[in-house]
Amino acid sequence: MPVKSSEITPEKVFKRRRTLIAAGLGVLAVPLLDRGYGLLQQKPDEVNEPFAPVSAQLGRQSQPLTPTPYETVTGYNNYYEFGYSKDDPAKAAKTLMTSPWSVEIGGEGANKPGFYDIEEIKGEHAIENHVYRFRCVEAWSMVIPWNGIKLSDIINAAQPNSKAKFVRFTTLNDAQQMPNADWAGGPYVEGLTIEEAMNPLTLLATGIYDQPLEQQNGAPIRLVVPWKYGFKYAKSIVKIELVEQMPQNTWWLQNKREYGFYANVNPRFDHPRWTQATERVIGELGRKPTLLYNGYADEVGHMYPDLDNRLYFY
Ligand code: MTE
């Protein structure tokens, strides 16, 4: 559903957001400088109000979602292959060639492996609109109107067999086009369980605000998993594999103590260096309580029976 102009944040608020953005820190970058579990005191944001009691934080938010303005969604990014600052990707990623583009589907769990042209993916499957909250592990959040297809459409087309227990995503890693291609020592990789991948909320996004994705947002195709922290949203995907073993993911490889495989949003489990109980909503003043599974508990809670199992939440 297209976003109405009345839903866009007023200019005054947006200008203030610019100031906040200018002050932003690339906290995820810190572990790179300190792969041996840092003695780091840095916090992503100062917490300037008391935390709400846990019971209050777990409720579903009743307020309607107000999409974050296009300029902010496309100007405040994490895409380290193009630099560590939030404004680097918008400046440096313009040279990324996103057409032609094909995505390889394979792995031992796919009976029908193959290559899909991006236009084929868009053409064969309905492009849906989904306005989702986006919660970064750095404790800030946005609301993004995505266009895309359900990941389950692509998985079904690959005819999964009994070995398809996990899905592994590999993204483009091209030093010719990406000034910081080697930051993680290889391509950015991510993974989901097959159940998570087949959940109707999980998308392969090809656009936002009814426009094709810009390079800094992961053009031409990226993962969207709204109940998980933002680092799960692998950008510029070139390969999707249905596999039997749990895949390793880039941030876990960078720092096993701080980033895991599941990475479900949960206000009860803090990141080792900062709280996850609250978040800074980009463009708003103060902080808001973070919601269990980023507000999608009804849709995804059944996949995680043990709410106290820390494994699921980092
Ligand atoms: N994908 C690749 N290839 N490289 C990255 O550095 N950063 C991740 C994720 N996907 C990243 C990536 C992180 S940490 C976040 S928070 C989101 O992309 C940010 O997405 P956005 O810039 O569109 O908001």
Side-chain angles (χ1 to χ4, degrees), residues 28 73 76-81 134 136 140 144 146 171 183 188 216-217 222 230-231 233-235 251:
L28 273 174
V73 179
Y76 188 78
N77 301 102
N78 279 335
Y79 198 163
Y80 284 1
E81 289 88 326
F134 173 90
C136 181
W140 51 266
I144 304 180
W146 301 103
T171 74
W183 74 270
Y188 196 97
Q216 62 270 31
N217 288 100
R222 57 101 52 98
F231 69 86
Y233 293 46
K235 292 180 167 179
W251 275 100

Side-chain angles (χ1 to χ4, degrees), residues 61-75:
Q61 198 177 51
S62 52
Q63 293 153 0
L65 297 176
T66 303
T68 307
Y70 184 86
E71 292 76 7
T72 308
V73 179
T74 55

Side-chain angles (χ1 to χ4, degrees), residues 3 16 47 222 291 307:
V3 177
R16 165 149 182 96
V47 176
R222 57 101 52 98
L291 301 175
L307 197 57

Side-chain angles (χ1 to χ4, degrees), residues 59-131:
R60 216 175 145 73
Q61 198 177 51
S62 52
Q63 293 153 0
L65 297 176
T66 303
T68 307
Y70 184 86
E71 292 76 7
T72 308
V73 179
T74 55
Y76 188 78
N77 301 102
N78 279 335
Y79 198 163
Y80 284 1
E81 289 88 326
F82 294 99
Y84 296 130
S85 297
K86 296 284 187 267
D87 57 356
D88 283 343
K91 289 187 279 193
K94 286 291 160 228
T95 48
L96 179 66
M97 293 273 297
T98 58
S99 177
W101 190 279
S102 68
V103 181
E104 181 181 355
I105 318 285
E108 66 270 19
N111 282 343
K112 199 176 164 213
F115 286 84
Y116 283 85
D117 187 81
I118 186 75
E119 297 307 324
E120 213 180 329
I121 294 177
K122 287 189 198 170
E124 270 190 15
H125 306 277
I127 298 289
E128 304 190 23
N129 298 282
H130 297 263
V131 181

